[in-house]
């Protein structure tokens, strides 16, 4: 028996980020569009619903590259709404869509610039820098639109450089942490090996003493001592 739906359409569940409800829809339903040609993936990207996007990638991966009636991919919507985490995920799953053009020649960078979404632009500058120089049907680039919004190229460069420096700092800290853990693990292993060696040596000494005691307690050994005493 099919699971009952709290939503009539999959794209409504995706828009709300309701992962469990999205799971209840068939793959065919997950590929359907609304009246504007938006798939559930478009809505999930537009609203920044990362978990839904990850689920759709597993179930209907082609929808993450689908175009709506204006030629927008989910990446266009994520950029327009400034959903940085969704953009980062789409870069990992469907990287080509961050450079895709809609029917007017707009890339996701154009949409981010037109809406003044600085963080999305900074990310796109880092991931797909060439798209910030791409021209739309009006011969305008994302940089042109960003300028109209008071965002300069130098600001994007500085923000990108700062983000890269922060990333490298975090990587260095993580590398130092891992190196410290490795050194500590080696120290503990060396201590374990040394403790094992000492334990084995002690056991060997105890065993030797036990055998010697057995020999001393044996009849032949006592007779030998008596013979030596008699010779004296």
């Amino acid at each position: 028996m099919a699971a009952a739906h709290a939503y009539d359409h999959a794209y409504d569940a995706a828009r709300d980020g309701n992962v469990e409800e999205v799971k209840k829809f068939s793959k065919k339903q997950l590929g359907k569009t609304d009246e504007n040609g938006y798939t559930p993936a478009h809505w999930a990207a537009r609203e920044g619903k990362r978990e839904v996007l990850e689920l759709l990638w597993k179930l209907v991966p082609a929808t993450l590259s689908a175009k709506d009636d204006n030629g927008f991919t989910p990446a266009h919507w994520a950029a327009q709404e400034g959903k940085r985490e969704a953009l980062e995920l789409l870069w990992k799953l469907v990287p080509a869509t961050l450079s895709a053009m809609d029917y007017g020649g707009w890339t996701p960078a154009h949409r981010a610039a037109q809406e003044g979404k600085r963080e999305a632009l900074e990310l796109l500058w880092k991931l797909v820098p060439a798209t910030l120089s791409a021209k739309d049907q009006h011969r305008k680039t994302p940089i042109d639109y960003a300028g109209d919004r008071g965002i300069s190229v130098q600001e994007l460069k500085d923000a990108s450089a700062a983000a890269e420096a922060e990333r490298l700092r975090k990587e260095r800290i993580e590398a130092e942490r891992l190196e410290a853990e490795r050194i500590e693990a080696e120290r503990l292993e060396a201590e374990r090996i040394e403790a094992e060696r000492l334990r084995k040596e002690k056991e060997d000494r105890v065993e030797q003493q036990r055998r010697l005691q057995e020999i001393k307690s044996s009849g032949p050994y006592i007779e030998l001592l008596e013979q030596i005493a008699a010779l004296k």
Side-chain angles (χ1 to χ4, degrees), residues 56 129 134 168 171 174 196 221:
L56 294 172
L168 292 174
E171 284 188 355
E174 178 65 9
E196 179 66 15
Y221 182 77

Side-chain angles (χ1 to χ4, degrees), residues 1-231:
M1 183 176 178
H5 292 293
Y7 294 84
D8 292 331
H9 305 288
Y11 45 77
D12 290 330
R15 178 196 61 217
D16 291 348
N18 196 322
V19 175
E20 294 306 315
E21 286 298 320
V22 172
K23 289 179 180 179
K24 295 178 182 179
F25 289 92
S26 67
K27 290 183 179 181
K28 182 178 180 179
Q29 290 171 314
L30 293 174
K32 284 186 176 181
T33 62
D34 64 10
E35 64 274 12
N36 295 309
Y38 303 167
T39 65
H42 284 91
W43 277 112
R46 182 171 182 169
E47 299 300 323
K49 305 302 183 182
R50 184 185 177 101
E51 290 185 6
V52 173
L53 285 172
E54 291 174 334
L55 175 62
L56 294 172
W57 170 250
K58 295 176 182 177
L59 301 177
V60 282
T63 64
L64 271 68
S65 303
K67 291 188 174 184
D68 63 20
D69 292 349
N70 292 313
F72 282 19
T73 65
H76 282 84
W77 280 113
Q80 176 173 307
E81 300 302 321
K83 304 301 182 182
R84 184 183 178 108
E85 289 188 0
L87 273 177
E88 289 177 331
L89 178 63
L90 291 169
W91 167 250
K92 294 176 182 178
L93 302 179
V94 283
T97 64
L98 270 67
S99 302
M101 289 187 173
D102 69 2
Y103 301 141
W106 291 344
T107 64
H110 281 91
R111 299 306 303 144
Q114 287 176 324
E115 297 299 323
K117 302 299 183 182
R118 186 186 299 268
E119 288 190 2
L121 271 176
E122 291 169 359
L123 178 64
L124 292 167
W125 179 278
K126 174 185 174 182
L127 300 178
V128 283
T131 65
L132 273 79
S133 299
K135 293 182 179 181
D136 62 16
Q137 61 183 0
H138 303 296
R139 309 295 294 169
K140 294 190 72 172
T141 68
I143 291 175
D144 295 327
Y145 290 115
D148 295 340
R149 289 284 188 169
I151 304 172
S152 70
V153 174
Q154 190 57 50
E155 284 180 308
L156 294 176
K157 287 182 177 179
D158 291 345
S160 179
E164 181 64 10
E166 177 64 11
R167 183 187 67 80
L168 292 174
R169 185 187 71 83
K170 289 180 178 179
E171 284 188 355
R172 176 178 56 78
I173 291 173
E174 178 65 9
E176 290 174 352
R177 183 186 68 80
L178 292 174
E179 178 64 10
E181 288 183 353
R182 183 190 66 78
I183 292 173
E184 178 64 9
E186 289 182 351
R187 184 187 68 79
L188 292 174
E189 178 64 10
E191 288 183 354
R192 186 193 67 78
I193 292 173
E194 178 63 11
E196 179 66 15
R197 184 186 67 79
L198 293 174
R199 184 190 66 79
K200 186 68 169 57
E201 285 184 355
K202 182 178 180 180
E203 287 181 350
D204 290 344
R205 286 197 302 271
V206 170
E207 178 64 15
Q208 289 174 359
Q209 291 173 357
R210 185 188 65 78
R211 290 180 179 179
L212 181 59
Q213 188 62 36
E214 286 182 350
I215 292 173
K216 289 180 177 180
S217 300
S218 64
Y221 182 77
I222 294 173
E223 291 179 359
L224 178 60
L225 292 178
E226 291 174 349
Q227 293 173 4
I228 293 173
L231 290 175

